[in-house]
Amino acid sequence: GNFAMASSMKAIQIKNTGGVEVLEHVIIERPKITGLTDVLVKNHFAGVNFIDTYHRSGLYKLSLPAIIGREGAGVVEAVGDGVKDIRPGDHVVYVSPSSYAEFTIANSKKVAKVPDGLDLKLAAASLLQGLTAWVMITQSYEVKKDDWILIHAAAGGVGLLLVQLVKNCGAHVIGTVSNDEKAKLAISAGAEHIINYSNQNVVDEVMRITDNKGVHAIYDGVGKDTFETSLACARRLGSLISFGNASGKVPPFEILRLSEKNLKLMRPTLNNYIETEEEFRKSTAELFTIIKEGKLDIKIWKTYKLNDAKQAHLDLEGRKTTGKLILKL
Ligand code: NDP
C-alpha cells in the first residue's frame, strides 16, 4: 500500500562477493535516523570509485548483505538530535558507506554543506577523489616546487586531479596512461611528460627525462603491476606512495630493499586522514576553496542510472574510463 511505497527505496545491494553479477537492484526499507549524529540524505548522485569494485569483489571485506558506494550528494531529509549545523533541506555531500541508494544515513562528521556555486553533481564528483588527491600531495608526500613527480593512471579519476594539483605546486608531472586518448587528456590537465605504459618502458623514459636521477615521489594507485617499476623510478631519498590496487594488491615486500636508495614507502588511505571531524572539515574546506578558485577541473566521464551500476563497474575495471563516474538516483 501507500505506506510501504513511502518507506521503501531502490538500492544496489550485494549478498555475495564476486563479479558484476552480484550487484543486485533491490527495493528495501529506507534507513531511519537512530543515532545522535545521523544525517538522512535523499541522494541525487552517488560517486563511483574503484573501492566500490574492491567491496564487490571481496578484496576489501564488508559485512553482507551490504549496499555499496562510499560517497554521495543530495538533500537532507532528517537529522539526529546531536546534529547542530546541518538542517533538513540543506544540500550536502558526504563520505559514508551505502551511497548506491535513494537514501543514505551518513555520519554528520563526514557530511559537508555544498558551497554556493557548486552543484550537487559536481560535489558528488569531487569529494572522495578530490580529498584523496589533496591529502596525498599535502600529507603522504608533500609536493614541493620543482619536484619531479610520477603519477600512474594519470587520466583516471584520482589521476587527473593529482596531475592538476601537483602541477599547481610548481612541480614537474610525468604521467603514465594506457592509450593515446588518455595521454592527451593528462597533458591537457598539466602533465609535462606522458608515458604510454602499454608500449613504452617506464623506467627508461623516467630516467631519460630526469637525467638519470629518477623522481622525488611516485603516486601509484595501480598497485601490483606497477610496484617494481615505481621503486625503480624513485631517486635516492625518494618516496613511493602506493595508494591503490587497480591491478591487484602489491605482494609482500622485503623492506631491506628500501636501503638501496633510502626510500620511503607508504600505503595510505583517505579514511585515516579524515578520521576526526576536524580533519574532515579542514581538508574539505581546502578542497572546496581550490575548486571555487577554478584551480581544479573535475571531469565527469559519464553519468549512469542506478540500474546501470553494473556497466559502470565494467567500464571502470575495463580501463575504459577517464575522470569521474557518477550514478544518478
Ligand atoms: P581510476 O579512474 O583511476 O581507474 C583505474 C585506472 O587504473 C584505469 O583507468 C587504468 O588506467 C588504471 N589501471 C592500470 N591497470 C589496471 C587494471 N589491471 N585494471 C583496471 N585499471 C587499471 O579509478 P579511481 O580514480 O577511482 O581510483 C584510482 C586508484 O586510487 C585505485 O587504485 C583506488 O583504489 C585508489 N584510491 C585509493 C584511495 C585511498 O584512500 N588509498 C582513495 C581513492 C582511490 P590506464 O588505462 O591508463 O592504465
Side-chain angles (χ1 to χ4, degrees):
N2 283 338
F3 178 76
M5 289 296 286
S7 61
S8 63
M9 69 168 186
K10 295 177 196 151
I12 300 293
Q13 195 182 54
I14 57 169
K15 297 197 182 89
N16 303 293
T17 56
V20 293
E21 69 283 354
V22 301
L23 297 173
E24 276 183 60
H25 191 265
V26 292
I27 308 275
I28 53 172
E29 204 178 324
R30 280 187 201 177
K32 291 189 186 67
I33 299 275
T34 54
L36 286 176
T37 61
D38 284 358
V39 176
L40 177 63
V41 182
K42 183 177 196 316
N43 294 318
H44 288 211
F45 298 97
V48 177
N49 293 287
F50 223 93
I51 194 171
D52 307 339
T53 71
Y54 306 150
H55 288 137
R56 192 209 71 222
S57 71
L59 180 67
Y60 295 176
K61 303 278 176 269
L62 291 179
S63 62
L64 302 177
I67 297 168
I68 60 168
R70 270 293 194 264
E71 69 178 333
V75 179
V76 174
E77 286 265 312
V79 299
D81 289 341
V83 179
K84 297 287 171 254
D85 340 321
I86 297 164
R87 310 306 319 162
D90 284 348
H91 284 207
V92 295
V93 58
Y94 60 83
V95 177
S96 193
S98 309
S99 63
Y100 286 20
E102 287 182 290
F103 293 86
T104 299
I105 295 278
N107 186 324
S108 65
K109 291 174 183 155
K110 303 288 167 68
V111 179
K113 286 191 207 178
V114 175
D116 292 340
L118 196 66
D119 65 31
L120 280 173
K121 187 171 178 175
L122 211 57
S126 62
L127 193 65
L128 195 149
Q129 293 180 345
L131 285 175
T132 301
W134 179 243
V135 298
M136 294 297 145
I137 68 142
T138 55
Q139 299 189 58
S140 302
Y141 171 80
E142 195 181 346
V143 176
K144 288 170 270 310
K145 191 172 174 296
D146 299 329
D147 274 354
W148 282 94
I149 305 289
L150 178 64
I151 300 169
H152 288 304
V158 177
L160 275 179
L161 303 178
L162 276 174
V163 169
Q164 296 175 69
L165 292 171
V166 169
K167 167 92 190 301
N168 255 322
C169 296
H172 305 279
V173 175
I174 306 173
T176 64
V177 294
S178 65
N179 66 43
D180 294 343
E181 199 185 315
K182 291 183 178 189
K184 278 189 204 134
L185 196 61
I187 285 171
S188 68
E192 215 170 293
H193 300 271
I194 279 292
I195 304 169
N196 182 336
Y197 51 12
S198 312
N199 54 35
Q200 286 179 290
N201 183 301
V202 177
V203 183
D204 289 351
E205 286 302 306
V206 165
M207 289 305 163
R208 184 182 61 77
I209 294 164
T210 60
D211 263 341
N212 278 321
K213 290 198 181 82
V215 293
H216 295 87
I218 301 104
Y219 292 105
D220 187 344
V222 172
K224 185 165 153 266
D225 288 355
T226 47
F227 183 76
E228 288 295 333
T229 300
S230 294
L231 274 180
C233 289
R235 70 172 57 191
R236 187 175 61 83
L237 312 183
S239 298
L240 168 49
I241 311 302
S242 176
F243 70 97
N245 344 271
S247 65
K249 66 179 178 187
V250 176
F253 171 74
E254 173 64 70
I255 62 169
L256 185 58
R257 290 184 56 200
L258 296 173
S259 69
E260 284 167 29
K261 293 188 273 190
N262 285 16
L263 299 183
K264 295 192 179 95
L265 170 63
M266 188 183 197
R267 204 321 180 174
T269 70
L270 171 63
N271 276 340
N272 280 316
Y273 287 122
I274 57 168
E275 172 70 20
T276 69
E277 177 165 8
E278 195 190 359
E279 288 166 342
F280 173 77
R281 301 237 168 271
K282 182 170 183 290
S283 292
T284 301
E286 289 164 346
L287 174 68
F288 286 159
T289 301
I290 294 165
I291 294 172
K292 285 211 282 187
E293 288 171 351
K295 290 182 188 155
L296 197 58
D297 186 29
I298 316 281
K299 190 187 158 292
I300 297 176
W301 158 262
K302 193 168 167 186
T303 306
Y304 298 77
K305 286 182 281 195
L306 186 68
N307 272 334
D308 295 331
K310 283 183 189 175
Q311 192 58 47
H313 279 216
L314 287 172
D315 292 348
L316 186 62
E317 292 177 298
R319 304 170 75 166
K320 293 197 173 71
T321 69
T322 57
K324 184 70 187 178
L325 288 69
I326 285 281
L327 297 179
K328 185 174 175 3
L329 278 314

